[in-house]
């Protein structure tokens, strides 16, 4: 089955196709809102958080063979592990946009903040155009040089380079999620998501979540959002100016450089 696929980009591709089945708003690929997508991804995150790989496959009378069954379970375990981290990184990126929406006037079509999905007939600016987690475009610095940040290189690659295909409601890659995950690592993503609370988010939770992310990253995201969400640009700047961060302890410094560990090379 899909859960034992050795191709995790394909596994996530099929997983993403399930979202519109239980989230009707996503079937309208143009008009769904930030919170509607955030709620859908949060539901999927909850599903994978409670999924035990040991109950996905069963054997009977040595069928499949013990070696084959062990390999199936190991591939399943890794697929679920990658999916959990990938989906939670996606959830954080959506929650950042949801927080900005809440603090600047409330929920709105996601295209207002990140731009329209590109088609063969229509191309317009997108937030992703201004984000460059690899650092080549100079608008988004490389993730912080911090040995305490643990990053799964395979998850980062999937976020940056994408699943197998675009879906009808989302692109295959997620530069914003890749940037935040590379910057904050597993523990940082979990700390930030702990501020989210319910969906839709309250204004208090929205501020807490934004302030749990390093200030330079929030500044970069807001600055580039103003280029897309023209009607909320002034309010976005006001929100940014109203936020406050505790003194950095080094975890939030954005700079180029070697990550210091082969395991975390991204």
């Amino acid at each position: 089955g899909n859960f034992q696929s050795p191709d995790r980009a394909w596994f996530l591709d099929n997983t993403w196709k399930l979202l519109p089945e239980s989230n009707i708003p996503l079937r309208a690929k143009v008009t769904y809102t930030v919170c509607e997508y955030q709620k859908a991804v949060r539901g999927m995150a909850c599903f994978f958080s409670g999924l035990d790989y040991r109950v996905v496959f069963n054997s009977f009378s040595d069928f499949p063979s013990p070696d084959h069954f062990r390999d199936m379970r190991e591939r399943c375990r890794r697929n679920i592990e990658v999916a959990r981290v990938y989906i939670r990184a996606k959830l954080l990126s959506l929650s950042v946009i949801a927080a900005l929406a809440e603090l600047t006037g409330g929920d709105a079509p996601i295209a207002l903040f990140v731009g329209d999905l590109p088609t063969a007939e229509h191309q317009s600016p997108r937030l992703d155009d201004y984000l460059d987690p690899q650092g080549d475009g100079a608008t988004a610095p490389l993730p912080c040089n911090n040995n305490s940040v643990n990053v799964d290189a395979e998850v980062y690659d999937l976020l940056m380079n994408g699943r197998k295909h675009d879906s009808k409601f989302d692109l295959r890659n997620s530069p914003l999620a890749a940037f935040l995950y590379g910057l904050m690592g597993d523990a940082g993503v979990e700390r930030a998501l702990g501020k989210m609370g319910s969906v839709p988010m309250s204004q208090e939770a929205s501020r807490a979540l934004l302030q749990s992310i390093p200030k330079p990253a929030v500044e970069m995201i807001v600055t580039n959002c103003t280029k897309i969400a023209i009607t909320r640009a002034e309010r976005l700047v006001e929100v940014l100016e109203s936020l406050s961060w505790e003194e950095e302890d080094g975890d939030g410094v954005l700079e180029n450089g070697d990550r210091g560990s082969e395991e975390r090379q991204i």
Side-chain angles (χ1 to χ4, degrees):
N2 187 36
F3 273 93
Q4 64 156 327
S5 171
D7 186 340
R8 274 172 274 282
W10 184 77
F11 171 70
L12 285 170
D13 210 37
N14 284 283
T15 299
W16 228 246
K17 290 176 183 177
L18 298 175
L19 278 173
E21 292 187 9
S22 55
N23 297 276
I24 293 175
L26 297 187
R27 300 175 193 175
K29 64 178 183 179
V30 177
T31 58
Y32 66 89
T33 70
V34 181
C35 285
E36 286 169 343
Y37 195 13
Q38 181 194 25
K39 181 179 179 181
V41 174
R42 187 186 191 189
M44 181 169 283
C46 290
F47 169 75
F48 273 96
S49 292
L51 183 59
D52 185 346
Y53 75 93
R54 291 167 294 189
V55 303
V56 175
F57 297 112
N58 291 299
S59 64
F60 179 74
S61 296
D62 285 337
F63 181 83
S65 68
D67 287 345
H68 187 198
F69 187 59
R70 183 171 56 252
D71 290 343
M72 288 172 60
R73 276 196 164 180
E74 176 55 27
R75 288 193 296 270
C76 179
R77 182 200 65 78
R78 179 58 179 161
N79 281 337
I80 292 173
E81 178 181 54
V82 167
R84 282 174 179 162
V85 179
Y86 175 93
I87 292 167
R88 294 184 78 76
K90 286 276 291 186
L91 179 58
L92 177 59
S93 67
L94 285 167
S95 297
V96 168
I97 302 301
L100 293 175
E102 175 62 28
L103 294 172
T104 59
D107 195 20
I110 195 168
L112 175 66
F113 291 92
V114 303
D116 295 327
L117 288 174
T119 66
E121 298 79 23
H122 176 71
Q123 301 283 333
S124 62
R126 285 182 52 83
L127 178 62
D128 294 344
D129 297 337
Y130 303 106
L131 302 176
D132 183 12
Q134 298 289 5
D136 298 332
T139 56
L142 281 170
C144 64
N145 180 20
N146 182 355
N147 291 339
S148 67
V149 174
N150 291 314
V151 171
D152 186 313
E154 187 173 12
V155 173
Y156 182 89
D157 181 70
L158 286 164
L159 290 167
M160 189 62 212
N161 297 313
R163 306 180 302 272
K164 283 292 185 183
H165 306 95
D166 294 332
S167 65
K168 292 182 179 179
F169 58 90
D170 190 21
L171 297 179
R172 72 183 71 185
N173 64 330
S174 306
L176 177 56
F179 175 70
L180 291 172
Y181 179 60
L183 169 66
M184 302 171 67
D186 297 314
V189 168
E190 291 306 311
R191 282 195 299 270
L193 289 177
K195 307 291 186 181
M196 182 174 61
S198 61
V199 176
M201 297 163 61
S202 67
Q203 292 208 357
E204 181 181 3
S206 296
R207 289 184 179 278
L209 184 138
L210 291 173
Q211 289 168 170
S212 70
I213 296 169
K215 181 179 179 180
V218 177
E219 290 176 333
M220 182 269 293
I221 293 167
V222 171
T223 298
N224 289 314
C225 265
T226 62
K227 302 171 185 176
I228 305 296
I230 303 299
T231 58
R232 297 203 188 185
E234 183 176 345
R235 188 72 184 105
L236 282 165
V237 173
E238 292 174 356
V239 167
L240 179 60
E241 292 174 346
S242 72
L243 297 174
S244 61
W245 282 264
E246 296 179 358
E247 288 295 322
E248 297 285 2
D249 60 4
D251 289 352
V253 178
L254 297 176
E255 59 183 288
N256 293 334
D258 181 11
R259 295 189 65 81
S261 169
E262 183 177 353
E263 178 183 355
R264 295 192 301 275
Q265 287 298 318
I266 54 177

